[in-house]
Amino acid sequence: MSKNLTNLILAAALLAGCAEEKPSVRTVTEFVENPILLEAAMVRCTRNRVETRYDEECMNAREAVEIVQSEGEEERRLELEERSEAKRLELRLTQEARAEARRRAELEAKRREEAEYLAQFGVLPPSEDEQQDELPEGNVPLVVVPEATDPEQPVGAGTGEIVQATDGGNAPVMDTVPAEDEQGNGDGN
């Protein structure tokens, strides 16, 4: 009996050594790093879902699929944000260009109207360079009133002299004296 027992133990050991070793369970990290392994595991796990539902390797493969999908969604979100920012910049530049074109068109229309107005009087409109040089700076009057040539007129009457207002306001007024009639009274009667 001891010989049979020894033979039996040897046979069991021999069969145990020849049996296929079950491969180690792949981790989620291995699946994430190797998409081919992940695809193969998912094919195997989806063939028979009832048997592989709680299989550790299939659970790791499903978790790896979720991680890969979330990484893909993040990359897609970043790409969409970049596209959106580029479109906003393009729109802003287009709007600025339209505003500039509108401003130039309005300026050209204004210049054309001014040229038509000045053409009525036979005056050529000033060029852009002359227009900037001719305008005085500061608070300088643009109209000059010629001085009177009659020495008999009182000072300020028709001479263009500006006299301060007497009503307390700050608006300039012309000091005028009513013309005397032939009899010498200044009431005009």
Side-chain angles (χ1 to χ4, degrees), residues 4-24:
N4 282 339
L5 188 57
T6 309
N7 285 338
L8 187 60
I9 293 176
L10 278 173
L14 191 65
L15 284 176
C18 293
E20 289 185 26
E21 285 188 29
K22 189 173 184 181
S24 65

Side-chain angles (χ1 to χ4, degrees), residues 23 37 42 71 118 120 132 166 176:
L37 274 179
M42 287 308 296
E71 288 174 355
L118 290 175
Q120 295 175 3
Q132 292 174 358
T166 57
T176 59

Side-chain angles (χ1 to χ4, degrees), residues 43-56:
V43 167
R44 182 182 64 82
C45 294
T46 54
R47 278 191 192 151
N48 192 355
R49 289 187 178 189
V50 175
E51 291 179 14
T52 60
R53 184 173 192 179
Y54 296 108
D55 182 49
E56 189 174 351

